[in-house]
């Protein structure tokens, strides 16, 4: 008798028409939250100076030499400004789409990780508004390269926003650096799921390049970058519990809808649970499937000798009984 096999459980493949609105809503909440949590400028400046003094005490102050490098060499400073103003919004969605299309089994965990970390970053902006180095008093030795090279790009003197739209951004949301955090997310996914060595090399280089860019353009301190990486680490730890919580909430909402509309769910369940073995074809009582073996107790077979008028003899016995 052949052993029964269990069909593998198929994972639900995410669908773009449900994922896209979800991502849009989360990003809209994140963008709106950054605007609503603008803190006092004086408090943000105090926090920025405290970070700068701590770095100087720890001898971690690499922002000044990098900023002077970009300021003195437009061939480096202009590409760095373009990278700061654009890659944050291009590479991250591109990697998310790549995971969705090529590695759908890992997509949900990656998306949950990214969203959880982004919301944690928003909490950081709320609790610790921080003035970036470029907005400190000139006496601290920083130059705003975005303003210096504004004629090369679409941005003005107010961060990377298009000219005239600087008021729609929160320029004091420097801690943590989600430029670095999102770049680290991209790098880990490229390294983990990339099959070609060049893809994995990009996964290593991209977070390092973004860290160089955010510090050289005087948009973030080194500790901002460290905090961005830490936020992504915490987000990775919380991704599984958050996904489970989302599943529970979804199941509870589905149950409530089922209670409210029982007939609709009963019809759907019956259609999904019914299995027609004969694929809708009916067979008569005496009809056999070709190749099917019958038992000796089959009344048709047992009655066939009598029906033919013959008598059973020893020679008619099955070979197994001899």
């Amino acid at each position: 008798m052949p052993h029964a096999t269990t069909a593998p459980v198929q994972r639900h493949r995410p669908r773009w028409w449900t994922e896209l609105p979800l991502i849009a809503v989360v990003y809209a909440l994140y963008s709106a939250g950054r605007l609503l949590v603008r803190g006092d400028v004086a408090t943000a400046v105090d926090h920025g100076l405290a970070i700068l003094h701590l770095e100087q005490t720890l001898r971690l102050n690499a922002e000044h030499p990098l900023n002077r490098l970009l300021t003195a060499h437009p061939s480096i400073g202009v590409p760095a400004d373009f990278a700061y103003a654009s890659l944050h919004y291009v590479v991250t969605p591109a990697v998310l789409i790549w995971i969705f299309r090529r590695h759908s089994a890992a997509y949900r965990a990656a998306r949950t990780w990214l969203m959880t970390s982004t919301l944690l970053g928003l909490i950081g902006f709320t609790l610790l508004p921080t003035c970036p180095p470029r907005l400190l008093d000139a006496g601290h030795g920083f130059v705003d390269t975005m303003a210096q090279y504004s004629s090369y790009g679409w941005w003005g003197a107010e961060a990377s926003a298009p000219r005239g739209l600087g008021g729609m951004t929160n320029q004091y949301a420097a801690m943590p650096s989600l430029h670095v955090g999102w770049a680290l997310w991209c790098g880990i996914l490229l390294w983990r799921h990339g099959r070609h060595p060049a893809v994995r090399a990009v996964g290593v280089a991209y977070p390092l390049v973004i860290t160089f860019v955010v510090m050289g353009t005087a948009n973030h301190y080194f500790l901002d970058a460290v905090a961005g990486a830490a936020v992504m680490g915490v987000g990775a730890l919380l991704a599984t519990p958050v996904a489970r919580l989302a599943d529970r909430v979804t199941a509870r909402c589905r149950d409530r809808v089922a209670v409210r509309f029982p007939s609709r769910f009963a019809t759907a369940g019956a259609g999904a649970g019914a299995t027609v073995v004969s694929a809708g074809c009916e067979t008569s009582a005496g009809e056999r499937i070709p190749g099917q073996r019958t038992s000796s107790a089959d009344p048709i077979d047992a009655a066939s000798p009598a029906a033919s008028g013959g008598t059973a003899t020893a020679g008619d016995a099955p070979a197994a009984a001899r």
Side-chain angles (χ1 to χ4, degrees):
M1 179 178 180
H3 295 285
T5 58
T6 303
V9 178
Q10 295 183 354
R11 294 179 177 268
H12 175 68
R13 181 181 177 88
R15 292 173 172 81
W16 69 267
W17 59 83
T18 58
E19 290 297 318
L20 191 59
L22 175 62
I23 295 172
V25 168
V26 172
Y27 185 75
L29 292 175
Y30 163 74
S31 300
R34 285 189 52 159
L35 295 177
L36 294 176
V37 300
R38 291 182 178 180
D40 180 46
V41 174
T43 302
V45 171
D46 291 340
H47 289 161
L49 291 176
I51 292 174
L52 180 61
H53 294 157
L54 177 60
E55 289 186 358
Q56 291 173 343
T57 301
L58 298 176
R59 300 182 182 276
L60 298 174
N61 182 24
E63 296 90 341
H64 277 108
L66 293 179
N67 184 238
R68 287 193 291 267
L69 176 66
L70 269 62
T71 302
H73 298 87
S75 59
I76 303 175
V78 173
D81 285 345
F82 272 100
Y84 181 83
S86 60
L87 295 185
H88 187 56
Y89 306 103
V90 175
V91 177
T92 308
V95 172
L96 190 63
I97 294 172
W98 174 67
I99 291 293
F100 178 84
R101 293 180 61 87
R102 295 295 189 89
H103 306 278
S104 59
Y107 170 78
R108 187 168 185 258
R111 179 255 287 159
T112 305
W113 175 21
L114 178 64
M115 290 184 174
T116 303
S117 302
T118 300
L119 295 178
L120 290 176
L122 180 59
I123 296 175
F125 302 151
T126 306
L127 300 179
L128 194 67
T130 303
C131 177
R134 64 183 180 80
L135 293 182
L136 293 176
D137 186 84
H140 294 284
F142 291 104
V143 176
D144 186 352
T145 63
M146 302 293 293
Q148 179 182 1
Y149 301 122
S150 60
S151 60
Y152 290 88
W154 60 84
W155 57 86
E158 297 177 311
S160 58
R163 291 183 181 87
L165 298 179
M168 299 184 66
T169 63
N170 182 4
Q171 299 191 72
Y172 298 97
M175 171 67 79
S177 171
L178 287 186
H179 272 80
V180 174
W182 286 15
L184 181 62
W185 176 87
C186 293
I188 291 175
L189 292 180
L190 291 173
W191 172 265
R192 180 180 298 174
H193 301 288
R195 297 178 181 177
H196 196 280
V199 175
R200 304 185 75 183
V202 171
V204 174
Y206 181 58
L208 299 177
V209 170
I210 293 300
T211 302
F212 167 83
V213 165
V214 299
M215 294 173 61
T217 58
N219 277 285
H220 288 282
Y221 306 94
F222 174 72
L223 291 181
D224 292 346
V226 173
V231 162
M232 298 309 296
V234 175
L237 295 176
L238 294 178
T240 299
V242 168
R244 290 175 181 171
L245 177 62
D247 289 340
R248 292 176 184 175
V249 172
T250 302
R252 185 168 299 179
C253 293
R254 186 182 297 114
D255 292 341
R256 290 184 178 180
V257 174
V259 170
R260 191 167 185 177
F261 304 99
S263 58
R264 183 174 302 177
F265 274 75
T267 303
T275 303
V276 181
V277 177
S278 62
C281 301
E282 295 183 359
T283 57
S284 62
E287 186 176 350
R288 297 180 190 151
I289 300 175
Q292 180 183 17
R293 298 182 62 186
T294 59
S295 64
S296 59
D298 192 332
I300 299 177
D301 292 339
S304 58
S308 60
T311 58
T313 64
D316 297 325
R322 292 179 182 176

